[in-house]
Amino acid sequence: MCGIIGYIGPEEPVSLVLEALSRLEYRGYDSAGVAYFDREAKVDVVRASGKLSNLAALCQGRAGLPGPAIGHIRWATHGAPTEENAHPHRSGPIVVVHNGIIENDRELRKSLSSEGFSFSSETDTEVVAHLVHRHYRTTGSLPEAVRLALREIAGSYALAVLCEERPGELVGVRRGAPLLLGEGENAYFLASDVPAFLKWTRKMMPLPPDVIAAIGPDGLALLPVDGSPPLVPLFEEVPWDPVAAEKGHYRHFMEKEIFEGPRAIMDTLEGRIAPGHGRVMLSELARLGPSPPELVFVACGTSYHAALLGRQFIESLSDIPVRVEIASEFRYRPLRIRKGAWVVGITQSGETADTLGALDHARREGYLTLAVTNVPGSSITREASATLLTRAGPEIGVASTKAFVAQITAVWLLALHLARRTALREEEGSKKALEILLKSPARLEGFLGALDLGTIDGLAEKVAASRFVIFIGRGLDYPLAIEGALKLKEITYRPADGYPGGELKHGPIALIEPGVLVVAPLVDPDLSAKEWSNIREVEARGGTVLTIASPETAPVLPAYPLPATEGWEGVFFATAILQLLSYRTAVLMGNDVDQPRNLAKSVTVE
Ligand code: G6P
């Protein structure tokens, strides 16, 4: 949801900013812009509506002086995605890029207009540029002008600011939106996410809220907005490989990331099984104490679907009752959960505003909170009582794939961790579940290596030719069904919905007619027979059903046959097929797979 970059260092800034923005394009693609010092040491601002390629075309032949530069990629909130509304925004010598929402934009516009500032865009960001300008006029100091401007602003922001009269300075600050600092060779970066600067440095520190990062000739100073003493910068090494943020020989990031599923499972398991004991050890959870009397998952989108699987895993291995809540709904309801319950936020990005809000709601009421996230140093890791990192590596495709696989692994591990600690533990069941999980990376790798892409393409043609696609599933297959439907909507724009198989006859079955397709993953060993009854009901009404099933769950040859599976492992296989089915359908339709319309990977607004 908007991405920002700031750079100060020896490299040519225009090409560096464009390259860094290309790593953030998953955050928005309504417009893009860059500001840099040109050969005459004047700030040149170049902006273009639409995708980054439009900006890159405008920047052909432009090169700047080494020095500060800022860039932005926009997901529109205030104002249409036009060039006028594209960032950077300028007021006198001050140039600003912003991610977030200024809530008192209207009042500030009014007062700034009455002071003679004129507005050239509909964005809330322009008020920030004018405010900093106003304070710069009186103080002559860029960090101080930003500090004073922040006093007047309500809302969320990550800002990078430069000043034409200060060619050696760059300022960044954040509250409620992410901003990371990167430290390179004689260089500093400000960015919404790590992949933006991973090519140049792995040294990163999340900027704490309300602390101004003032970079100048003397280096970096971290100045708290409230005037307390400067903080000491503490950089850490990000465990991400720079090539993980490259497409390699794949056509799309999404395709590459589907094939990285086995690695995501393996890395998420790494170091979490006690050697020789065959037991799960989540030392990260030590701070939460013994197992809770209740566990509540809060999440959005794909992460919500991982939470639904988590409920089934945990409830089948322990006696802990589990609830799963849509974060945006949970956060505004009174908390009616047991004392001592854990509230667990699952979020790939660690920045989703609704999930952060839900966790904050629980934290304020004294509940212990756990973050399950893929991004080290993300906002949720700083706000939760404990963090369990998934280790899928950077996920660039907007539609989540390998991160979902890593989330399934994490909730599976969580179930095993909690099983070990409850009276009801069924030793044998847990042992088997762990054995199967440990074999999963290799099994999934083998499965992906022997894929029948011809069959998947045949199914994709059927999906592309249908008007509406209904995904059904029971038990473990229900979260897979709704995730399958979400993936299809996200990248093919085909109307699709997911239902519990048993619910079909209570309404959705009325939709069955020629042109409507039903997709049914069948990997729940306990409920697949029941699901077949639902499939028969559809077929009896002339509907076409595509099944994804293994020999033990399929009485007839399925549309996509899975190998024989054990326990819950089929979840990984069916997920891969559902992801590939959406992917191949979107490619067939000629869609922009990695940057589907209207979406943003990281949703930092409510
Ligand atoms: C956005 C993305 C989805 C994602 C959801 C939750 O809507 O488009 O793909 O599942 O946010 O994101 P999170 O980072 O919290 O997992």
Side-chain angles (χ1 to χ4, degrees):
M1 185 126 314
C2 292
I4 69 173
I5 173 86
Y7 170 71
I8 187 159
E11 303 250 355
E12 193 292 304
V14 179
S15 51
L16 182 141
V17 167
L18 288 175
E19 190 164 354
L21 286 178
S22 74
R23 305 283 181 266
L24 293 179
E25 219 183 352
Y26 69 83
R27 299 178 75 88
Y29 21 87
D30 288 334
S31 67
V34 55
Y36 65 99
F37 282 83
D38 66 16
R39 297 281 173 215
E40 275 79 52
K42 294 277 167 238
V43 171
D44 189 18
V45 177
V46 191
R47 308 182 299 178
S49 64
K51 297 205 167 181
L52 183 61
S53 49
N54 297 353
L55 177 69
L58 276 183
C59 287
Q60 281 276 333
R62 293 180 199 244
L65 295 175
I70 54 180
H72 187 270
I73 197 100
R74 178 163 186 248
W75 190 86
T77 54
H78 285 53
T82 58
E83 190 194 325
E84 297 75 54
N85 289 332
H87 301 216
H89 289 284
R90 180 171 192 153
S91 177
I94 302 296
V95 190
V96 173
V97 288
H98 167 223
N99 167 210
I101 290 185
I102 307 299
E103 285 165 6
N104 55 345
D105 155 64
R106 280 174 169 222
E107 300 87 296
L108 289 171
R109 253 174 195 260
K110 234 171 136 189
S111 69
L112 286 160
S113 301
S114 68
E115 288 173 42
F117 286 98
S118 62
F119 284 82
S120 57
S121 80
E122 303 157 84
T123 67
D124 51 340
T125 305
E126 209 180 342
V127 299
V128 181
H130 288 320
L131 280 176
V132 176
H133 180 195
R134 188 176 73 191
H135 291 294
Y136 179 73
R137 273 190 204 149
T138 52
T139 62
S141 153
L142 185 58
E144 183 59 9
V146 170
R147 192 177 80 82
L148 293 173
L150 294 182
R151 284 197 187 167
E152 296 174 61
I153 291 170
S156 64
Y157 46 78
L159 296 164
V161 188
L162 57 77
C163 173
E164 197 165 47
E165 295 167 9
R166 306 254 149 205
E169 292 183 29
L170 175 68
V171 163
V173 67
R174 65 168 284 267
R175 179 196 285 171
L179 192 60
L180 304 170
L181 267 165
E183 186 187 40
E185 285 278 316
N186 300 317
Y188 285 101
F189 296 82
L190 292 166
S192 305
D193 201 355
V194 175
F197 54 68
L198 207 51
K199 180 178 168 189
W200 298 277
T201 181
R202 283 196 198 190
K203 283 168 83 182
M204 171 285 280
M205 74 166 278
L207 186 62
D210 298 314
V211 172
I212 292 175
I215 305 157
D218 301 330
L220 167 69
L222 296 178
L223 312 168
V225 170
D226 64 8
S228 49
L231 308 182
V232 178
L234 276 179
F235 286 90
E236 53 190 276
E237 190 102 340
V238 197
W240 285 357
D241 180 350
V243 289
E246 306 290 337
K247 229 182 276 176
H249 65 275
Y250 290 95
R251 193 163 154 201
H252 298 100
F253 277 110
M254 182 178 178
E255 183 187 22
K256 174 178 176 252
E257 289 161 0
I258 293 171
F259 285 92
E260 285 174 344
R263 172 106 245 153
I265 306 176
M266 201 151 76
D267 289 348
T268 302
L269 293 177
E270 177 80 37
R272 287 172 169 157
I273 317 295
H277 293 85
R279 276 194 353 215
V280 169
M281 297 255 304
L282 299 179
S283 53
E284 301 91 330
L285 271 55
R287 292 173 66 184
L288 299 179
S291 61
E294 184 180 4
L295 191 146
V296 183
F297 282 116
V298 291
C300 305
T302 292
S303 299
Y304 172 76
H305 303 151
L308 289 173
L309 285 169
R311 171 168 67 191
Q312 302 206 32
F313 295 163
I314 295 170
E315 288 192 343
S316 69
L317 291 184
S318 77
D319 56 357
I320 300 170
V322 180
R323 267 164 59 176
V324 184
E325 298 267 358
I326 296 275
S328 52
E329 293 293 319
F330 177 80
R331 63 184 295 193
Y332 295 114
R333 291 212 318 269
L335 279 174
R336 300 279 183 258
I337 55 180
R338 291 189 207 177
K339 202 162 172 271
W342 293 358
V343 178
V344 182
I346 305 186
T347 160
Q348 184 284 129
S349 61
E351 302 295 347
T352 300
D354 286 319
T355 308
L356 290 173
L359 233 62
D360 189 48
H361 180 41
R363 193 178 51 84
R364 283 167 191 268
E365 300 281 327
Y367 289 94
L368 287 168
T369 57
L370 171 66
V372 178
T373 183
N374 196 43
V375 181
S378 56
S379 300
I380 202 165
T381 63
R382 291 188 297 278
E383 284 158 29
S385 324
T387 297
L388 179 62
L389 281 177
T390 53
R391 304 193 191 114
E395 188 178 68
I396 311 289
V398 165
S400 185
T401 53
K402 64 173 178 174
F404 179 59
V405 170
Q407 288 170 342
I408 298 173
T409 311
V411 292
W412 191 325
L413 280 170
L414 185 59
L416 287 164
H417 174 88
L418 293 170
R420 195 165 62 72
R421 292 157 158 255
T422 55
L424 244 196
R425 88 171 186 225
E426 289 177 36
E427 189 70 44
E428 272 313 299
S430 309
K431 237 174 102 186
K432 192 80 204 149
L434 177 57
E435 261 172 46
I436 295 168
L437 179 58
L438 291 176
K439 280 193 254 163
S440 294
R443 295 265 295 147
L444 182 60
E445 181 97 56
F447 175 67
L448 290 171
L451 274 179
D452 180 355
L453 285 173
T455 299
I456 294 176
D457 281 345
L459 302 181
E461 277 171 27
K462 290 192 178 159
V463 172
S466 56
R467 273 189 302 108
F468 184 60
V469 187
I470 301 176
F471 290 73
I472 56 167
R474 283 172 173 252
L476 294 174
D477 292 309
Y478 170 58
L480 299 186
I482 54 178
E483 171 60 10
L486 178 68
K487 218 80 310 176
L488 195 72
K489 282 181 266 202
E490 283 180 319
I491 59 171
T492 70
Y493 320 135
R494 184 90 341 166
D497 231 327
Y499 299 98
E503 217 21 48
L504 201 64
K505 56 187 172 296
H506 299 296
I509 203 162
L511 299 169
I512 302 297
E513 60 171 351
V516 175
L517 195 66
V518 175
V519 177
L522 287 131
V523 297
D524 189 314
D526 301 325
L527 289 171
S528 54
K530 300 268 177 219
E531 203 171 322
W532 275 104
S533 314
N534 304 131
I535 291 167
R536 300 278 181 250
E537 290 158 15
V538 174
E539 286 173 340
R541 283 152 185 88
T544 308
V545 187
L546 304 182
T547 52
I548 300 164
S550 51
E552 67 278 11
T553 57
V556 293
L557 188 68
Y560 195 95
L562 302 177
T565 54
E566 266 196 292
W568 303 330
E569 77 172 339
V571 160
F572 290 125
F573 298 161
T575 294
I577 297 303
L578 289 167
Q579 291 173 348
L580 282 163
L581 182 60
S582 290
Y583 171 70
R584 297 300 299 179
T585 307
V587 170
L588 194 70
M589 294 168 72
N591 291 354
D592 189 337
V593 174
D594 284 333
Q595 291 164 5
R597 72 182 181 206
N598 303 341
L599 298 181
K601 189 159 186 68
S602 173
V603 183
T604 53
V605 292
E606 277 193 50

